[in-house]
Structure formats: structure tokens, C-alpha cells
Amino acid sequence: MSTYVSTRGRDPVGLADAVLNGMPLDGGLYVPTRRPTVGWPPPEGATPEWAAPLLIPGLEPEVIGRAARAACDFPFPLVELDDRRFVLELFHGPTQAFKDVGARFMANVVSRLVSESGATVTILVATSGDTGGAVASAFFGRPGIRVVALFPLDGVSERQRLQMTTLGANVDAVGVRGTFDDCQGLVKTCFADGELRRKHGLTSANSINVARLLPQAIYYLDAARRFDRPVHFVVPSGNLGNLCAGLFAAKSGMPHAGFTAAFNRNHGVADFLRGEPFVPRSSLRTVSNAMDVGDPSNLERVRWLYDDHADAIRADVRGDWVSDTETERTITDVYRRTGYVLDPHTAVAYASASRHDLGATPVVVLATAHPGKFPDVVERAIRAPVKIPPAIREARERNESMSVITPKLEELKRLLNRSSS
Ligand SMILES: *Cc1c(COP(=O)(O)O)cnc(C)c1O
């Protein structure tokens, strides 16, 4: 059954192909063929993931429901910081970032597909920060699946690296002597090589994958139903996967009072949302490094959701951006005023929310990572030690293992040919 299609209208496929191919051949991105609708309000007593089978078509609803339940088995607490301004903590999963939700859902679905087909797959992922850890943790120990995570050797924090290098088993952590763009370039070359792709069953696991993107709608729906009126969501944004999931929720029937997409110095999309044409740029390094994206892939899906009407997008989504200086000052101010510690990504969103007076409308800022993942920036801002989550402390006590390569296809091919340790 063709439940997914390219944003450019071609290449209809079922969920298995959409997940295992990652991208359609016409250069677009997969989206559901029919726009999902969920009933509102949710049924009395519904669990947070009640809408997952409606949002993610293509497998039996029980299978999707089970995968969603397993992906969302940690809480999404809502903390009120100021009058009517809330933080939705999405970082209580195994790698302390919201990416755990999508990565774990995808791992459940891929496991199911692999066990049905008897095939084996290799998840090849390039990461500049949190993606590698979330994907490695989600796929760790799953039969028939190998993870190869490429990261710039000098471009990730110690904590981010440990989340990839201390697992072992079916997870190969690969430090690349180069930049994130070099890692991404290697991955793209591999995916363009049909023979290599078939030989290793290569599959991507970044937010262009529908199985990572769509389940993120769950926590928007779950947050919205906790209020007696529509809320405004403020989303710290990079590749726009998170924002896009919120807009899917909105388009599927969730009441809302608009969205803010908050960016760091990589603000091409903020400029677009303020009325300019979108111009892709190269990415700049900031203190909110998981948002350092100059040419976000998921803008394609946002445009599709609004039939490419820029003014309709701008009516629902306010665009804003925040400098590193203001990001750090926001962490300091909020800590002094309330004792609450923001991570640098959440601080970008919080700073933007503070600029925008919405009267009686509740404002929900999505908190995308635990502050303990970014101790350098956070401790400088609050002038106090930041609490380190136990999982990170434990990772420091385990042995690290990784391969190191230079950004050459031949070296990566050799590594892929080696069987998993
Ligand atoms: C990935 C990430 C983001 C950006 O999310 P997108 O879906 O790429 O827009 C924001 N904050 C943190 C902590 C992240 O890891």
C-alpha cells in the first residue's frame, strides 16, 4: 500500500520503503499520502501516544501503538517558569535529548521490518551533536541492525562522544578527521552509490526519515491537551524536524495559538518567516551547536504542509533568532530569577518567548536537551556546577572504543566491509 509519497508528488511507497530508503528519488522528502487527522479533544483517559496510529499510517495500528508506547516510556513534564510561560521537558530519555523519541520509535519500526524480512540493515548516520547518541542508544543490541555513526573528531563535546563510543556491540563509532560537512559528505556519497547501498542495506536515521519525524507530533498533542485553551509553542530549531512535527499535529486538528521557530545565528529561515526569500547558507558555529544548520532539509516539508503558500506559513509560524551572548545571558537571568537551569538550545527559545507578549495565551517552550550535556556553556552562565544526569556519569566510567578515519570514501568502505565487532 502506498501510504507515503514525495513532497514533489512522485514515488509512492509503503512505510517499509519510506523508512528503509529514507529519501525519494525525485529529491523531495516522504510525507503521508493522505494528510492525517486526529479527533479533538482526545478520548478521555487516552495515553500520550493515543494518536500515533493516526499520524503514522502504513503498519497495523497495534504495531504503531506499541512502537510509540515504547518510544515514549519517559515523562514529558511541564514546568511553569513565569506566569503563563511553561517549559516542556523532552529530555528524560536515555540520551537526555528530545531526539530519543524519534530515534527510539524508528528503531522499533526498523526492528519489526528486519525481523519480518530477514534482511540485515546498516544505519549510517553523520552527527554534529545529539543525533549520533540518540540513534546509537535506540538501535543498540538490536539483532540484524548495525549502526555506523560518523562524527567530526574535534567537533563534538566529550559527553556527546561518550554516548556513541561506550556502547560497543553493534554500534561502530567513527571519528572523522574533518568537519561535520565532511561526515555528511561521506554519508551522501555512500547513499548515492546504489551497489554499496544494497550490499550493506544502508539506511539513514536523521530527521529526513519519516519514522523519526512523525512520532514527535505525540508530545505536542500531549502538551496541548493539558491546557484549557490553545497554546503557543516555541521551538528551538535547526533542521526543522521538531517544528515540522508540531505543524503536522496542528494540521491534523490540534488547536493552537501559533508557533515560534527560534534560531541561533543560523537564521536564514527566521528571515524567510519575516518576509524575505529563503537563501541557504553555510552553517556557523554557536553555543547551541545542534541547531547549527544553514540549509534545513525539513523546510521542504513545511512548505508542502502549506501548499507552498509562504504567507500561510508566516501566519502560523513566527520566526526569530537569538545571539550567543543573549543565549548565555538568558541562562544566567532565568537561573538567578527562578533557580531553573536551561540548556543553550532551550535558552534560545526561551529568550525569543520573552520578547513576545501573548497576553493570556499560555506559551510552551520546548526544552530539547538536559543542561548537563553542555556543562561548559551552562556553568559559565550560572557560575555553579550543573547537575550531571547519572547516565552521563556512568558513561565516563566505561571503556571507549572507536575507529578513526580521514574523510575518504575508501576508508569508510573498508570499515563497512569489516564485520561489526
Ligand atoms: C537536534 C536538536 C535541535 C534542533 O532540532 P531540529 O529538529 O533539527 O530543528 C534543538 N535542540 C537540541 C538539543 C537538538 O539536539
Short mmCIF file of all heavy atoms in Angstrom, two decimals, residues 12 36 64 88 92 110 199 232 239 291 367 372 376 379 389 404 411:
data_model
loop_
_atom_site.label_atom_id
_atom_site.label_comp_id
_atom_site.label_asym_id
_atom_site.label_seq_id
_atom_site.Cartn_x
_atom_site.Cartn_y
_atom_site.Cartn_z
N PRO A 12 5.37 7.01 -4.99
CA PRO A 12 4.58 6.49 -3.87
C PRO A 12 5.12 5.16 -3.36
O PRO A 12 5.51 4.30 -4.15
CB PRO A 12 3.18 6.30 -4.46
CG PRO A 12 3.39 6.19 -5.93
CD PRO A 12 4.61 6.99 -6.26
N PRO A 36 -2.91 13.36 7.75
CA PRO A 36 -3.56 12.72 8.89
C PRO A 36 -4.53 13.66 9.60
O PRO A 36 -4.33 14.88 9.61
CB PRO A 36 -2.38 12.39 9.81
CG PRO A 36 -1.20 13.12 9.29
CD PRO A 36 -1.49 13.60 7.92
N ILE A 64 2.10 0.14 15.48
CA ILE A 64 2.50 1.55 15.62
C ILE A 64 2.29 1.99 17.07
O ILE A 64 3.15 2.65 17.67
CB ILE A 64 1.68 2.45 14.67
CG1 ILE A 64 2.04 2.14 13.21
CG2 ILE A 64 1.91 3.93 14.98
CD1 ILE A 64 3.44 2.51 12.80
N LEU A 88 8.43 22.64 28.42
CA LEU A 88 8.05 21.24 28.24
C LEU A 88 9.33 20.42 28.12
O LEU A 88 10.03 20.48 27.11
CB LEU A 88 7.19 21.08 26.97
CG LEU A 88 6.74 19.65 26.63
CD1 LEU A 88 5.80 19.10 27.69
CD2 LEU A 88 6.07 19.61 25.25
N HIS A 92 14.01 13.53 29.13
CA HIS A 92 14.12 12.49 30.16
C HIS A 92 14.35 11.10 29.58
O HIS A 92 14.19 10.10 30.27
CB HIS A 92 12.91 12.54 31.08
CG HIS A 92 12.86 13.82 31.88
ND1 HIS A 92 13.66 14.04 32.97
CD2 HIS A 92 12.17 14.97 31.67
CE1 HIS A 92 13.44 15.26 33.43
NE2 HIS A 92 12.55 15.85 32.66
N VAL A 110 12.07 -0.29 12.56
CA VAL A 110 13.07 -0.98 11.73
C VAL A 110 13.28 -2.41 12.24
O VAL A 110 13.38 -3.35 11.45
CB VAL A 110 14.41 -0.20 11.69
CG1 VAL A 110 15.49 -1.00 10.98
CG2 VAL A 110 14.22 1.14 10.99
N LYS A 199 24.51 -3.63 -0.90
CA LYS A 199 25.41 -4.58 -0.26
C LYS A 199 25.28 -4.54 1.26
O LYS A 199 25.28 -5.56 1.93
CB LYS A 199 26.85 -4.24 -0.68
CG LYS A 199 27.89 -5.17 -0.11
CD LYS A 199 29.25 -4.90 -0.74
CE LYS A 199 30.32 -5.71 -0.04
NZ LYS A 199 31.67 -5.21 -0.37
N HIS A 232 0.59 28.61 22.51
CA HIS A 232 1.61 28.99 21.52
C HIS A 232 2.88 28.19 21.83
O HIS A 232 3.35 28.20 22.96
CB HIS A 232 1.87 30.50 21.63
CG HIS A 232 2.87 31.00 20.61
ND1 HIS A 232 2.49 31.51 19.38
CD2 HIS A 232 4.23 31.07 20.64
CE1 HIS A 232 3.59 31.86 18.71
NE2 HIS A 232 4.64 31.61 19.44
N ASN A 239 17.32 21.79 11.96
CA ASN A 239 16.93 21.16 10.70
C ASN A 239 15.41 21.15 10.52
O ASN A 239 14.90 20.59 9.57
CB ASN A 239 17.48 19.72 10.67
CG ASN A 239 17.81 19.28 9.26
OD1 ASN A 239 17.99 20.12 8.36
ND2 ASN A 239 17.87 17.99 9.04
N MET A 291 21.80 23.16 16.63
CA MET A 291 20.96 23.98 15.75
C MET A 291 21.79 24.71 14.71
O MET A 291 21.30 25.63 14.05
CB MET A 291 20.18 25.00 16.60
CG MET A 291 19.10 24.34 17.43
SD MET A 291 18.60 25.28 18.90
CE MET A 291 18.27 26.89 18.21
N ALA A 367 11.82 22.19 25.66
CA ALA A 367 13.17 22.02 26.21
C ALA A 367 13.77 20.76 25.58
O ALA A 367 13.35 19.64 25.88
CB ALA A 367 13.12 21.90 27.73
N GLY A 372 22.87 19.42 31.63
CA GLY A 372 24.09 18.69 31.99
C GLY A 372 24.87 18.17 30.80
O GLY A 372 26.02 17.74 30.95
N ASP A 376 30.10 23.25 29.80
CA ASP A 376 30.97 24.42 29.61
C ASP A 376 30.16 25.70 29.54
O ASP A 376 30.39 26.66 30.29
CB ASP A 376 31.82 24.26 28.34
CG ASP A 376 32.75 23.05 28.44
OD1 ASP A 376 32.84 22.48 29.56
OD2 ASP A 376 33.33 22.65 27.42
N GLU A 379 27.76 26.16 32.89
CA GLU A 379 28.43 26.53 34.15
C GLU A 379 29.03 27.93 34.07
O GLU A 379 29.06 28.66 35.05
CB GLU A 379 29.48 25.47 34.51
CG GLU A 379 28.78 24.16 34.90
CD GLU A 379 29.70 23.04 35.35
OE1 GLU A 379 30.94 23.17 35.17
OE2 GLU A 379 29.18 22.04 35.88
N PRO A 389 23.35 14.20 34.72
CA PRO A 389 22.46 13.03 34.79
C PRO A 389 23.27 11.76 35.01
O PRO A 389 24.37 11.62 34.46
CB PRO A 389 21.79 13.00 33.41
CG PRO A 389 22.05 14.33 32.80
CD PRO A 389 23.26 14.90 33.44
N VAL A 404 39.08 5.63 13.76
CA VAL A 404 39.36 6.98 13.29
C VAL A 404 39.72 6.89 11.81
O VAL A 404 40.53 6.05 11.42
CB VAL A 404 40.52 7.61 14.09
CG1 VAL A 404 40.87 8.98 13.51
CG2 VAL A 404 40.14 7.76 15.56
N GLU A 411 38.27 4.71 2.84
CA GLU A 411 38.45 4.33 4.23
C GLU A 411 37.12 3.92 4.87
O GLU A 411 37.06 2.96 5.64
CB GLU A 411 39.08 5.48 5.03
CG GLU A 411 40.52 5.74 4.60
CD GLU A 411 41.28 6.59 5.61
OE1 GLU A 411 41.02 6.45 6.83
OE2 GLU A 411 42.12 7.39 5.16
#
